[in-house]
Amino acid sequence: MATTASTRRQFLTLLGLSTVAVSCGTAATGATPGKGRTKTLRYQGWAGQVTLPELAEDLGYLEDVKLEWVGNTISGPQDIQSAATGQVDFGGAFNGAVVKLAANNAPIKAVISYYGADKYAYNGFYVLKDSPIRSARDLIGKKVGMNTLGAHSEAMLDIYLQRGGLSQADIGKVEPLVVPPVNTEQTLRQKQIDVAVLGGILRDKALATGGIRPLFTDFELLGAFSAGTYVMTDRFLQQNPDTARTFVSAVGKAIEWARSTPHDEVIARMTNIVKKRGRNEDTAPLKYWRSYGVAETAGRITGKELQLWIDWLAERGDIKKDQVTLSDLYTNEFNAAGESGASTPSADSSASTSGS
């Protein structure tokens, strides 16, 4: 049964964070009060993918800071909720989710952009080649499979439907469904959903197989833009400024290394990382990786990529206009790699001793 318009418009209700839950949870961080020297960062990964922190660690940019993998996620909102409540030390999500979490009084700050949309890195909304779906109006009553609700994909879907002239009532008749990314292509081909949101290596693998076509992409909707940021709690940043600076700067360096290094070398490195971590993952799809899509040098946050979603959420009535202050939402203080004039690593400057 299709979800109602009122349910759809409760953007990020899955976060469900109360002020009490957040304030209690942040005390559970791995930080040592007053020391500023924790050297272990707990995090969640993504199955079959290499995140920028994982790449940075392999390149040696994290220096003496170590990553501690605690499991995988398929949801940005879940990941930043885990960071806000101290279950992990950093988490990443679509910027609209970051804004919404901050609006719920979570004491977090965005510290670096880590993914975005460009001509190589984008999320597409795909249908089977013989599907009758050709426009926004054709989606009424149809099922759209995506990795999580209340985040990037649902926001892009809503923008597409709005631009297609659909009323709020008609938008409510389009049904977004959660489908694990690794199953999305198969679910579309089996016609259990009408539209599949595919991105990155999973998108390119599906396109190589054939039989599908894009209805639209987020790159077509908004052009090139940084779409998501890593967040850390205010408490963690205050207690561990040196570690935060090492982490954020390392991720920034990894962004530029991936941007400037020959494609085959990046793929080889990622493949090696996945094999070494021994999680029984398929490395074949990695050959389709093209870009992280981060718009700004070293992931530096300009503010506009967050302001866009502050305005949009306020316009929708999901938050009040003054509920989130942009200047309190992010900081570039810890991103030495993103400073004006800072040098960025070349393909020859990797500090890693591991082969690629």
Side-chain angles (χ1 to χ4, degrees):
M1 184 177 69
T3 53
T4 64
S6 60
T7 301
R8 290 275 328 271
R9 314 315 286 183
Q10 291 300 315
F11 196 72
L12 286 180
T13 51
L14 61 92
L15 283 175
L17 280 180
S18 68
T19 304
V20 173
V22 172
S23 61
C24 290
T26 52
T29 67
T32 303
K35 298 296 183 183
R37 302 298 301 172
T38 186
K39 295 297 181 181
T40 301
L41 294 173
R42 297 161 300 152
Y43 80 104
Q44 296 183 113
W46 290 73
Q49 300 180 39
V50 177
T51 67
L52 278 164
E54 290 169 332
L55 178 60
E57 182 177 49
D58 193 69
L59 289 165
Y61 296 151
L62 281 177
E63 301 171 1
D64 59 347
V65 174
K66 303 297 181 185
L67 297 180
E68 180 183 330
W69 177 70
V70 299
N72 286 329
T73 184
I74 63 167
S75 166
Q78 185 276 331
D79 199 30
I80 60 173
Q81 178 180 350
S82 294
T85 55
Q87 298 170 66
V88 294
D89 296 312
F90 66 88
F94 162 59
N95 283 327
V98 173
V99 170
K100 186 68 175 184
L101 185 59
N104 278 298
N105 298 313
I108 56 165
K109 271 194 172 56
V111 291
I112 189 169
S113 294
Y114 75 98
Y115 87 92
D118 62 19
K119 62 181 179 179
Y120 299 120
Y122 59 86
N123 284 322
F125 287 64
Y126 291 90
V127 297
L128 295 176
K129 237 170 192 173
D130 60 356
S131 170
I133 298 174
R134 298 278 175 180
S135 69
R137 190 155 297 279
D138 293 335
L139 289 176
I140 296 174
K142 299 299 190 293
K143 295 180 172 64
V144 183
M146 58 189 66
N147 70 306
T148 189
L149 301 184
H152 184 113
S153 296
E154 191 172 1
M156 298 304 141
L157 176 61
D158 281 354
I159 291 173
Y160 176 73
L161 296 174
Q162 289 170 357
R163 291 185 180 179
L166 270 66
S167 66
Q168 293 294 78
D170 284 339
I171 289 175
K173 296 174 185 175
V174 181
E175 184 176 6
L177 295 173
V178 175
V179 181
V182 294
N183 302 125
T184 306
E185 176 190 352
Q186 180 183 8
T187 306
L188 175 66
R189 295 189 189 280
Q190 293 177 342
K191 299 185 178 181
Q192 295 174 309
I193 55 177
D194 303 288
V195 184
V197 182
L198 297 168
I201 58 180
L202 297 177
R203 175 202 67 221
D204 290 339
K205 179 174 177 290
L207 288 173
T209 302
I212 64 174
R213 59 177 170 82
L215 181 62
F216 70 94
T217 73
D218 51 9
F219 180 58
E220 290 171 350
L221 280 182
L222 298 177
F225 66 102
S226 291
T229 46
Y230 282 128
V231 304
M232 290 177 150
T233 63
D234 295 335
R235 181 187 181 94
F236 186 93
L237 294 172
Q238 290 164 6
Q239 294 180 344
N240 298 274
D242 294 340
T243 301
R245 187 166 291 105
T246 298
F247 167 74
V248 176
S249 299
V251 171
K253 288 180 182 179
I255 289 169
E256 293 309 312
W257 183 88
R259 204 194 303 271
S260 62
T261 301
H263 179 254
D264 289 347
E265 186 178 336
V266 178
I267 298 306
R269 187 130 211 158
M270 288 181 167
T271 301
N272 190 48
I273 291 170
V274 171
K275 286 180 177 178
K276 284 191 302 182
R277 67 194 187 195
R279 300 177 195 165
N280 195 31
E281 299 161 286
D282 181 12
T283 61
L286 287 170
K287 66 183 178 182
Y288 296 106
W289 181 91
R290 300 293 298 277
S291 167
Y292 284 107
V294 178
E296 304 298 331
T297 300
R300 186 174 179 83
I301 302 171
T302 66
K304 64 183 180 181
E305 60 275 83
L306 290 160
Q307 187 65 54
L308 170 68
W309 302 108
I310 293 174
D311 295 341
W312 191 65
L313 288 165
E315 183 181 336
R316 290 159 50 95
D318 291 320
I319 65 173
K320 296 177 181 178
K321 280 189 176 295
D322 59 351
Q323 200 168 339
V324 177
T325 302
L326 180 62
S327 59
D328 294 336
L329 188 57
Y330 76 97
T331 180
N332 288 303
E333 175 187 352
F334 302 96
N335 191 354
E339 292 173 356
S340 178
S343 61
T344 52
S346 69
D348 296 324
S349 63
S350 158
S352 174
T353 56
S354 60
S356 60

